[in-house]
Amino acid sequence: MQGKRILLIVGGGIAAYKSCELVRLIRREGGAVTCVLTAGATHFVTPMTLAALSENPVHTTLWDLDAEAKMGHIQLSRSADLVVVCPATADLMAKMAAGIADDLATTLLLATDKPVLAVPAMNVRMWQHAATRRNVASLRGDGVEVLEPDAGPMACGEFGPGRLPEPTAILAAITATLGGQAKPLAGRHVLVTAGPTHEPIDPVRYIANRSSGRQGFAIAEAAARAGARVTLVAGPVSLPTPAGVTRIDVETARDMAAAVDAALPADAAIMVAAVADWRVAAEAGQKLKKDGSGVIPPLTLTENPDILARLARAPNRPRLLVGFAAETENVVPHAEAKLARKGADWIVANDVSGDVMGGTRNTVHIVRATGVESLPEMPKDAVAAALIERISDALA
Ligand code: C5P
């Protein structure tokens, strides 16, 4: 960070107050900061605050005669090593994605030839809105690094993803970007299965489980960020497709097995899906009726293909095969047994006796033939990042 120049564009959202702390952190690490505020941002933090913290003039308008006489906005956008947009509001990202330049901030963003890091913060529904999903995807496609917001309680009283990451985490991202982003999985194909499967009983009923797909989706996203080509075979879940990931939606275990086969070859396969072990032997063609006779229809089950075990023995077996083991007791011993039985290289064991299934946090143990590595409880995206780091090392 020493001697690096950051152009910090502050958007108009309640999280703008955290940009003050970010300026302090960057300066403490030896970086220099020049701040630009949108008109909205000036309602949340004052130019005076940021000028005092950055010890640099703060810019708020395109119509500054003195500055513009020297081509101010172009100069501002070019003299930085990195442009950071924090907080990046839904509106600001929409303008960036569309190439709109109707104020100083958006003009700088369009004129810059420097890397841009956007740190979103907004209401959870705004973050999940299809328009924002689209804008984030197109910004990432344009080479803008868009960080994932944190999940948790928000200033607006709602709960979910959309909170600005902690300033220390933003500082870490800035340092990583300035140091040149590592893409350790560039050129690799990573296959991920996620979510539950639905096994039909009749045209309207099915057997399912509580898997939300969150952990698998987070792994697919982390793999894509690490530069991999990612195929995500997803059971029925209501989650947005992570940026840069090819998603194939399936319903049953047999559909999932076929989609996995079709996606091969892959360098690594991470089988996170909670695949139903059994399906109904003979699916009824019509809805089963309660006819008043008191006779209960018998449900005879038959075993589903074990996708992971089959893949372990396939001629085109991925070089690294990772299975998951959701257990409610004896987590590690069961996973050790599963490692051998399934022929996987690693089993990631997690205790699902609490509210892991459907929740946002996870505690995992990575079981390898050489030993067990236990990670502390953390958010599912942090588990994903830790796994992808280890997978990158294993494939290197
Ligand atoms: O045997 P169990 O279901 O506990 O094994 C879990 C692991 O095996 C997970 O990685 C899961 O995705 C995979 N699996 C599979 N096909 C099945 C059952 C489980 O790929 N039919």
Side-chain angles (χ1 to χ4, degrees):
M1 183 69 81
Q2 197 63 43
K4 296 290 185 193
R5 289 157 306 172
I6 310 294
L7 180 64
L8 177 62
I9 295 179
V10 182
I14 179 61
Y17 76 94
K18 290 191 186 170
S19 62
C20 301
E21 177 64 6
L22 183 62
V23 171
R24 240 176 43 80
L25 292 176
I26 295 170
R27 298 221 47 217
R28 202 177 64 191
E29 296 294 310
V33 190
T34 302
C35 297
V36 171
L37 273 71
T38 65
T42 60
H43 293 281
F44 293 97
V45 284
T46 69
M48 181 64 81
T49 312
L50 288 168
L53 290 170
S54 66
E55 295 186 80
N56 264 325
V58 170
H59 306 268
T60 55
T61 172
L62 198 49
W63 314 115
D64 176 339
L65 263 185
D66 271 358
E68 288 315 304
K70 301 173 222 135
M71 284 301 283
H73 61 271
I74 301 286
Q75 221 166 28
L76 262 180
S77 73
R78 302 277 170 87
S79 60
D81 295 297
L82 175 68
V83 181
V84 177
V85 187
C86 176
T89 59
D91 173 69
L92 194 45
M93 287 197 295
K95 285 181 174 170
M96 287 166 73
I100 292 173
D102 63 354
D103 64 2
L104 180 61
T106 49
T107 303
L108 290 172
L109 285 161
L110 201 58
T112 192
D113 57 355
K114 293 301 175 348
V116 178
L117 173 70
V119 194
M122 66 196 70
N123 167 273
V124 54
R125 296 200 194 286
M126 293 169 83
W127 174 249
Q128 288 170 341
H129 195 284
T132 306
R133 303 283 80 226
R134 227 175 18 246
N135 293 332
V136 168
S138 72
L139 285 172
R140 285 180 174 152
D142 292 345
V144 174
E145 186 182 355
V146 183
L147 294 189
E148 284 300 306
D150 277 356
M154 314 190 70
C156 54
E158 289 191 69
F159 187 94
R163 281 165 57 100
L164 193 81
E166 288 307 319
T168 47
I170 302 170
L171 182 74
I174 292 174
T175 312
T177 305
L178 285 169
Q181 256 185 323
K183 295 279 184 204
L185 288 178
R188 308 283 190 198
H189 179 207
V190 173
L191 172 62
V192 181
T193 66
T197 62
H198 285 182
E199 308 296 334
I201 296 170
D202 66 19
V204 297
R205 302 182 178 96
Y206 55 82
I207 299 174
N209 61 63
R210 295 186 194 280
S211 169
S212 66
R214 284 207 185 97
Q215 185 62 79
F217 273 59
I219 289 171
E221 174 154 17
R225 276 164 168 271
R229 175 166 78 82
V230 181
T231 306
L232 171 63
V233 179
V237 293
S238 51
L239 290 175
T241 308
V245 166
T246 305
R247 171 174 178 174
I248 299 159
D249 285 312
V250 297
E251 208 169 296
T252 66
R254 285 173 296 170
D255 295 342
M256 188 172 275
V260 163
D261 287 347
L264 294 174
D267 296 285
I270 310 155
M271 318 297 276
V272 196
V275 184
D277 291 320
W278 304 286
R279 66 176 183 275
V280 175
E283 178 190 343
Q286 303 296 331
K287 184 184 170 199
L288 298 174
K289 303 296 281 182
K290 187 167 68 176
D291 61 7
S293 68
V295 177
I296 297 168
L299 277 189
T300 307
L301 301 179
T302 186
E303 199 161 313
N304 265 330
D306 189 317
I307 306 167
L308 174 60
R310 259 183 14 155
L311 200 53
R313 287 182 229 105
N316 48 359
R317 179 195 198 277
R319 187 143 67 83
L320 184 68
L321 188 53
V322 181
F324 266 65
E327 304 289 355
T328 53
E329 54 174 359
N330 293 330
V331 178
V332 170
H334 278 154
E336 282 168 336
K338 199 162 288 178
L339 184 71
R341 193 171 72 241
K342 299 248 186 185
D345 299 304
W346 307 351
I347 291 283
V348 180
N350 58 341
D351 186 342
V352 292
S353 56
D355 63 352
V356 165
M357 281 194 144
T360 58
R361 299 179 73 83
N362 206 353
T363 310
V364 303
H365 312 270
I366 305 171
V367 179
R368 304 176 173 90
T370 49
V372 180
E373 183 190 0
S374 294
L375 303 184
E377 194 208 72
M378 53 177 102
K380 287 182 175 175
D381 52 0
V383 170
L387 274 177
I388 289 302
E389 202 183 303
R390 286 158 180 75
I391 288 166
S392 306
D393 289 347
L395 292 178

